[in-house]
Amino acid sequence: MRYGEATVTVVDPRSYMTYQPFLPEAAAGSISPRHVVVPLRRVLPKAEVLTGRVTTIDQDRKVATIAPLVGEAYELPFDYLVIAMGAVSRTFPIPGLAEQGIGMKGIEESIGLRNHVLEQLDKADSTTDEEIRRKALTFVFIGGGFAGAETIGEVEDMARDAAKYYKNVSREDMRFVLVDAADKILPEVGPKLGQYGKEHLESRGVEIYLSTSMDSCVDGHVVLKNGLEVDSNTIVWTAGVKPNPALARFGLPLGPRGHVDCEPTLQVKGTDYIWAAGDNAQVPDLVGRKAGNENAWCPPNAQHALRQARALGDNVISGMRGFPQKEYEHANKGAVAGLGLHKGVAMIVMGKVKIKLKGRLAWYMHRGYHGLAMPTWNRKIRVFADWTLAVFLKREVVSLGAMENPREEFYEAAKPAPVAAKTEEKAKAS
């Protein structure tokens, strides 16, 4: 695009982009949380970045209503529109889930999980009450896909390392539970590697319950459909994602699961000025359809989202200039998953050949692929630097739980002392 040909405005409730495949490693302290996010204003210096939310879209007038962080909502006109709102956690009306659950969709949740787990070790180490200790040291993860398996693998690794520094807590005192409604975990890498991942996690003491789900978790009392009941302060929810529900307010054609319905060119069906990509878009998988699967759709993963973004940018420019647009087509390159330090599974697709790896080599593939896919050289270098330093330095096991309420201590210090207040009242009365 030529300079001055268009003005690009990005509206997002956060001023940064999160590379979500690294959230489990950030939760385990293998990568600094700041290195998992990319500041939008820094990487998009020629674009206008507005921190806020799009609440409605008037397609007839071509205006979007913006709700900023502060102040009144206002209208923003546009000529062309790109929908890339991503996905949110897919939840169900399970009693206690909203109050007790911890998601893994954002860096804030990742940091919160790390601080929370280490705080539970602190609690268990400081009490002799067996009921409190048992509840603090029981960690329940719901969902056995990439997010769930990778997160429990990384967090178990971190907790095992951290326990070395506690006098009254050992790995044997902890209980890790993984639950999934399907009959296998890690379905993205195939049944054999999924079975290997299951056996590997079980060898590390993780309890895995398949073909079951959680009925309730009120006050941390977890009840599974298979009859198992456990008490836990830590319930991590990674049971899938769904398109951002705000899409329902925009008047766009949606698929059966709430995704924006797109043509193979990533243009929204029935429009000539709106495109969509990523987790919120329903894009035909042309490779799968050519292979005979007429209902193939691109899965919501980073592999497709990054490549769709490039194709979408080219097609928007082509649409502006009146040129034909290209259809998005990408063959699956495989999948990689890390299950903790030096442990992983990987399926690499090379044409019709599938190469399956496990253990340390798969872990190298996982880190190499995502390290190179991380946006910007600034963040690539920082991530690889974190990994390199970890070879020589021990893992950090410091809990910064006070970050969630950073002003609490200052607030308590600034409050008038009760005794002083009473003395002042007596003085006034006299």
Side-chain angles (χ1 to χ4, degrees), residues 371-401:
L372 294 174
M374 181 72 194
T376 79
W377 279 104
N378 180 300
R379 288 306 188 258
K380 284 181 174 67
I381 293 172
R382 291 178 183 274
V383 166
F384 279 102
D386 285 341
W387 289 336
T388 303
L389 290 173
V391 175
F392 305 100
L393 305 176
K394 293 183 179 180
R395 187 199 302 262
E396 282 289 349
V397 291
V398 177
S399 170
L400 298 176

Side-chain angles (χ1 to χ4, degrees), residues 301-321:
N301 57 32
Q303 182 179 155
H304 279 286
L306 290 172
R307 289 171 172 82
Q308 286 176 2
R310 299 189 190 102
L312 184 147
D314 291 340
N315 282 346
V316 170
I317 295 174
S318 296
M320 289 173 55
R321 297 175 178 174

Side-chain angles (χ1 to χ4, degrees), residues 71-376:
E72 298 293 328
Y74 59 90
E75 290 187 342
L76 180 70
F78 62 84
D79 296 306
Y80 303 93
L81 184 66
V82 173
I83 307 293
M85 300 181 68
V88 299
S89 295
R90 181 186 62 185
T91 59
F92 303 99
I94 298 173
L97 178 59
E99 295 78 14
Q100 302 293 325
I102 302 173
M104 274 295 286
K105 282 293 294 174
I107 191 62
E108 302 86 356
E109 293 170 317
S110 179
I111 299 171
L113 175 60
R114 171 180 167 76
N115 290 332
H116 175 82
V117 169
L118 293 174
E119 186 179 24
Q120 300 312 303
L121 302 190
D122 291 339
K123 288 181 179 179
D125 187 60
S126 62
T127 182
T128 56
D129 188 311
E130 281 304 313
E131 184 177 345
I132 294 176
R133 281 174 52 84
R134 188 164 48 250
K135 189 172 183 179
L137 296 178
T138 299
F139 308 96
V140 179
F141 291 72
I142 310 297
F146 269 176
E150 288 188 305
T151 303
I152 197 172
E154 293 285 354
V155 170
E156 192 275 338
D157 241 6
M158 178 190 70
R160 183 186 295 271
D161 282 351
K164 300 174 184 177
Y165 304 98
Y166 289 86
K167 183 179 179 180
N168 301 313
V169 174
S170 68
R171 173 61 182 89
E172 288 70 30
D173 298 325
M174 304 177 204
R175 185 179 185 184
F176 284 84
V177 179
L178 179 63
V179 180
D180 197 282
D183 59 356
K184 56 183 175 294
I185 68 169
L186 294 170
E188 299 91 342
V189 296
K192 289 186 177 180
L193 288 179
Q195 180 63 24
Y196 166 81
K198 177 178 179 294
E199 293 172 357
H200 170 76
L201 290 174
E202 288 175 332
S203 72
R204 291 160 58 184
V206 177
E207 301 173 34
I208 299 180
Y209 299 95
L210 302 178
S211 301
T212 191
S213 57
M214 184 171 67
D215 281 344
S216 68
C217 59
V218 177
D219 295 328
H221 183 67
V222 178
V223 179
L224 302 185
K225 199 170 287 293
N226 64 1
L228 178 70
E229 297 187 25
V230 297
D231 289 317
S232 173
N233 288 337
T234 310
I235 302 167
V236 183
W237 182 267
T238 59
V241 297
K242 63 181 180 181
N244 195 311
L247 296 171
R249 303 195 299 265
F250 295 166
L252 302 171
L254 303 180
R257 297 185 178 182
H259 301 79
V260 180
D261 198 9
C262 296
E263 302 285 357
T265 59
L266 304 174
Q267 200 161 40
V268 176
K269 286 189 175 180
T271 73
D272 57 4
Y273 60 92
I274 306 177
W275 290 261
D279 293 359
N280 69 181
Q282 178 178 273
V283 181
D285 181 359
L286 298 185
V287 174
R289 297 193 177 196
K290 288 178 181 178
N293 184 358
E294 296 182 359
N295 295 316
W297 304 97
C298 295
N301 57 32
Q303 182 179 155
H304 279 286
L306 290 172
R307 289 171 172 82
Q308 286 176 2
R310 299 189 190 102
L312 184 147
D314 291 340
N315 282 346
V316 170
I317 295 174
S318 296
M320 289 173 55
R321 297 175 178 174
F323 297 145
Q325 299 180 43
K326 293 182 179 180
E327 295 183 336
Y328 172 75
E329 184 173 346
H330 170 67
N332 180 28
K333 300 297 183 183
V336 291
L339 300 174
L341 198 62
H342 304 148
K343 301 169 280 283
V345 292
M347 181 183 66
I348 312 301
V349 180
M350 302 180 67
K352 295 183 179 180
V353 179
K354 292 183 179 180
I355 302 173
K356 299 178 181 179
L357 305 173
K358 55 189 178 183
R360 186 181 289 261
L361 184 57
W363 178 75
Y364 285 136
M365 291 292 298
H366 162 75
R367 283 200 161 182
Y369 173 80
H370 285 300
L372 294 174
M374 181 72 194
T376 79

